[in-house]
Amino acid sequence: MLKKIALEKLGDLVSALMEKGPLYAPVKGEKAVDFQEITNPADVILDFYNTAMSPKFAFFPQSEDLIRYRLGKEATESEAVSLDAKPSVILGVRPCDAKSFEIMDRHFLGAGIIDPYWNDKREKTTIIGYAFDPSTAADPADFYNTLGISASDTAGSDIFMIRTDKHLLFKGITEKGDRLLKELSVLEAGSKTDEKTFEDKAKKGGEVKTRFMEIQDKAVAGKLVQVFNNKEFWEKATAACISCGACTFVCPTCYCFDISDETLFRDGVRKRFWDACMFTDFTLEASGHNPRPRIFQRYRQKVCHKYSYHVDKYGCISCVGCGRCTRSCPVNIDIYSIIESASKL
Amino acid sequence: MQNPYIPMPVEVTKIVTEVETNDIKTFRLNFVNKEDEENFKYLPGQFAELSILGKGESPIGIASSPTQPGYIEFTVQRAGTLVTGIVTTALHDLDVGARIGVRGPLGNSWPIEFLEGKNVVVVGGGFAFTTLRSLIHYMLHKDNRPRFGDISVVYGARTPGLLCYKEELAAWEKRKDIKMHVTVDKGDANWKGREGFVPTVCKEVGPSPENAVTVICGPPIMIRFTLPVFFELGFAKENILTSLEMRMKCGVGKCGRCNVGHKYVCKDGPVFSFAELDKLPRDF
């Protein structure tokens, strides 16, 4: 199903989506563009390269309440926070980020227990993907081509959006996406010409070139196992790292979390929130033993987890080449270069 | 489906201080809801998250055996260094009657089917004897005992006062169907038992590797010196089992903390053979 709307009517579409439930879309902040829950349709912008933070927060918020409790002299009263996500939409997700949701699904839904918090929000959210503009060069940090993703890849999106000079074109990718497209009366039906335009534009997306190297999941996974004990390599590659964890927070496929109780006077919340394998006490045991006290050991864990362990466990690399970790790193560490050098060892 | 992050309510019904330093206690917990008790089906070697709201959760091996129905037990050392030990300290401050939470059972177990029909050599050091105690109780139960071959135990602590489960050790000493070798690094005036380090005692006892499996839990230093003894005796790495320690949070393979190689210690472990550990990166 193909639908369209004139560019100047974006506000109408945004309003229509807001009526359906919470809408997350790119908004220009003081320093960067990021996804926000929209309260004013005029805030939504489509002229942006990519958001600073990944959209993973929609299913895996930075902080999420699990249990609320009240400490008493005799007993503690507590109540599990119920799962009641509202049907929502994320508008403007770039293809690499849309792909990240599928990778995260393998962990949160596909193996062992189903994570109820991820599942609740994931099920009820419709993702409107948004092709990178083929007339703009890819950011130098990006390497999504290396992970087999193109600037107009529809994988992971429910609806895929492409901008033309005058219109926004929407193509239903999944049943969920088609359902939403049908419901949006503000959209016009696309013509045969529009369909051709969509296909042409999508094809052009394939011509956008990011950094690229030939990698095979299994081969790189095996290579990193070989390189694991090469202390010199890891120390050199991560010498500048200050272990700040920024790379993991901006990453669309980092999912490590902590669970902790926060109490103020008698009232408290047990919550889970983002944590990072880059932090010193991530693996600090109650006995005082810490298996990864050094920065190179922690950085090695991050790289090996994404490019080796994840391949063995879930059958795919846990990276989409969005380039955020490289852009946000205060000391210019670049995971692409590390994989590239490790492959040559 | 039960939310795996929400603990089940339990009541502390018995507390035993195990050692003379008072920093190791065994807590007996009874489920508040009958339904939870029925759903909590576990095997020796598994663990659970003990939860105290306002403090947090701590992953602790189950020290009781499923052959002891009606309750579960956990032996907890108060950690209490500067940044950690909040939960274990709070547990130690509890009195009988207190209500806390439990999530579990979690992780894999000692591989009971693999142990069946074999001689089992149990080796433990200090307070890391908890899930081994569970295993011994399980194997000694009258319905289970015929399923296993000879059972021998080497258990050591630094001093007599640091041995856990003293009454049970004494009871097992009297039995004919289990060979006990309890040792201390250094005895005191009242100690009439064996003196010597666990690896040395293992060597003296010299169990045959023929149709035998050894399960070893203890401080890293003990494991380091005990392993070569078993290699020398001819035990294959597949037949030497241990339980790994790793910091954990969720206990269900999601939070990423206990990841080593492509394994999550909380879900794929904590029990591994040394053959399996050989395949993992040295990162634990």
Side-chain angles (χ1 to χ4, degrees), chain B residues 6 18 24 78 105 137 141 212 244 266:
Chain B
I6 307 300
E18 296 286 354
I24 298 173
R78 191 179 61 224
H137 274 298
H141 188 265
L244 271 200
C266 74

Side-chain angles (χ1 to χ4, degrees), chain B residues 1 6 12 19 28 37-38 50 66 69 73 130 135 162 181 193 203 224 239 243 255 266:
Chain B
M1 187 194 71
I6 307 300
V12 180
V19 293
R28 179 172 292 183
E37 183 185 325
E38 280 158 14
L50 300 188
E73 285 184 341
T130 62
L135 178 66
L162 290 176
H181 308 277
K203 207 169 183 172
R224 184 160 17 124
N239 296 330
S243 183
C255 81
C266 74

Side-chain angles (χ1 to χ4, degrees), chain A residues 22-281:
Chain A
L23 170 72
Y24 301 95
V27 170
K28 196 166 170 51
E30 262 176 48
K31 288 184 178 150
V33 173
D34 267 310
F35 286 98
Q36 274 181 24
E37 188 174 343
I38 303 301
T39 48
N40 174 10
D43 291 345
V44 176
I45 60 153
L46 294 177
D47 281 309
F48 70 106
Y49 183 74
N50 206 352
T51 52
M53 299 296 283
S54 90
K56 73 178 171 189
F57 75 91
F59 313 127
F60 180 45
Q62 182 158 4
S63 165
E64 182 161 31
D65 294 352
L66 310 184
I67 301 172
R68 293 200 187 92
Y69 57 86
R70 187 172 172 79
L71 304 175
K73 278 212 175 73
E74 297 297 320
T76 298
E77 294 161 37
S78 68
E79 194 188 14
V81 176
S82 57
L83 299 168
D84 54 359
K86 297 191 187 85
S88 56
V89 173
I90 320 181
L91 172 76
V93 176
R94 293 302 191 183
C96 44
D97 295 339
K99 179 78 184 172
S100 76
F101 300 141
E102 289 191 339
I103 294 173
M104 296 278 261
D105 282 348
R106 295 188 193 206
H107 174 69
F108 279 120
L109 309 178
I113 64 142
I114 289 173
D115 188 277
Y117 302 95
W118 174 276
N119 191 42
D120 183 42
K121 292 182 270 293
R122 183 81 166 100
E123 264 183 351
K124 295 173 185 161
T125 305
T126 308
I127 295 156
I128 305 183
Y130 182 28
F132 281 109
D133 180 357
S135 61
T136 310
D139 186 275
D142 288 15
F143 57 99
Y144 54 80
N145 287 170
T146 299
L147 282 310
I149 301 164
S150 89
S152 53
D153 232 311
T154 58
S157 296
D158 295 308
I159 296 171
F160 199 69
M161 173 168 81
I162 287 182
R163 182 160 68 170
T164 68
D165 296 339
K166 294 198 174 119
H167 288 93
L168 290 169
L169 303 178
F170 298 90
K171 188 174 184 181
I173 306 297
T174 63
E175 263 178 51
K176 202 200 251 176
D178 276 339
R179 222 167 25 239
L180 179 63
L181 282 183
K182 254 186 219 153
E183 287 169 18
L184 291 168
S185 53
V186 59
L187 299 177
E188 300 168 47
S191 64
K192 280 263 178 278
T193 328
D194 293 326
E195 273 178 36
K196 173 124 191 5
T197 315
F198 187 96
E199 294 312 321
D200 289 348
K201 284 264 180 191
K203 214 167 163 190
K204 244 187 147 192
E207 291 163 18
V208 176
K209 297 293 176 219
T210 69
R211 291 190 286 172
F212 180 77
M213 63 180 143
E214 199 74 59
I215 55 169
Q216 282 184 319
D217 295 8
K218 287 231 163 93
V220 74
K223 187 74 201 177
L224 286 168
V225 171
Q226 276 174 35
V227 178
F228 185 88
N229 285 318
N230 189 338
K231 190 171 162 226
E232 207 186 342
F233 168 76
W234 292 107
E235 279 184 332
K236 203 174 156 199
T238 64
C241 180
I242 55 171
S243 204
C244 69
C247 51
T248 65
F249 276 36
V250 297
C251 177
T253 59
C254 270
Y255 53 69
C256 285
F257 62 84
D258 195 359
I259 300 174
S260 195
D261 293 4
E262 285 181 8
T263 315
L264 186 64
F265 301 109
R266 288 171 58 195
D267 293 306
V269 186
R270 172 163 294 169
K271 44 175 71 176
R272 74 172 183 185
F273 46 88
W274 296 353
D275 201 350
C277 57
M278 300 307 303
F279 295 153
T280 323
D281 58 0

Side-chain angles (χ1 to χ4, degrees), chain B residues 193-214:
Chain B
R194 199 190 265 266
E195 273 190 14
F197 296 118
V198 166
T200 321
V201 175
C202 288
K203 207 169 183 172
E204 286 165 14
V205 172
S208 159
E210 200 62 41
N211 191 36
V213 178
T214 179

Side-chain angles (χ1 to χ4, degrees), chain B residues 51-71:
Chain B
S51 154
I52 300 182
L53 286 168
K55 301 294 177 186
E57 294 185 311
S58 195
I60 309 283
I62 306 172
S64 55
S65 158
T67 52
Q68 303 164 315
Y71 61 85

Side-chain angles (χ1 to χ4, degrees), chain B residues 47 49 59 244 246-251 255 257-258 265-266 270:
Chain B
F47 70 98
E49 292 275 357
L244 271 200
M246 198 77 188
R247 189 173 188 191
M248 298 171 187
K249 279 284 174 177
C250 76
C255 81
R257 192 169 301 270
C258 66
V265 175
C266 74

